Amino acid sequence: MIVAFSISPMSGDDTGSVSEAVAAAVRVVRDSGLPHETNSMFTNIEGEWDEVMAVVKQAVDVVSASSSRVGLVLKADIRPGYTGQLTAKVERVEQALATRDD
């Protein structure tokens, strides 16, 4: 499965920034060893249900340490029997675009 998720504390630091808390959550994902990527809106992670959800929970727990209220947005693509889709899905779209550009 692939999960795209975004975690944000409902309160920031003295300047209102949430980047330190978000960085702590991304660090959890990177340390998990699962395939992942982070962009300006979401972090995407790929693996089996239990391992992905455990990482999401750990990331929420880390952010909860700095804020008593946390927002979580999560979108999942559940497709048993498929792996490597974090990059393969994008490659298929790029291939389709290249075919149309010729």
Side-chain angles (χ1 to χ4, degrees), residues 1-3 49 53 75-82 89:
M1 75 182 298
I2 297 172
V3 167
W49 178 279
M53 291 305 180
K75 180 178 179 181
D77 179 359
I78 304 162
R79 194 172 184 195
Y82 287 81
K89 289 173 74 170

Side-chain angles (χ1 to χ4, degrees), residues 9-79:
M10 294 300 173
S11 58
D13 63 17
D14 294 341
T15 67
S17 175
V18 297
S19 60
E20 288 297 322
V22 171
V26 171
R27 193 171 297 112
V28 167
V29 174
R30 290 182 177 179
D31 291 347
S32 74
L34 294 175
H36 64 276
E37 62 184 19
T38 298
N39 59 51
S40 61
M41 297 293 292
F42 288 94
T43 294
N44 302 318
I45 185 169
E46 182 174 13
E48 296 299 321
W49 178 279
D50 289 341
E51 58 190 1
V52 168
M53 291 305 180
V55 172
V56 171
K57 182 185 184 319
Q58 187 180 358
V60 169
D61 290 346
V62 165
V63 174
S64 295
S66 65
S67 179
S68 61
R69 189 173 186 182
V70 176
L72 171 66
V73 176
L74 187 143
K75 180 178 179 181
D77 179 359
I78 304 162
R79 194 172 184 195

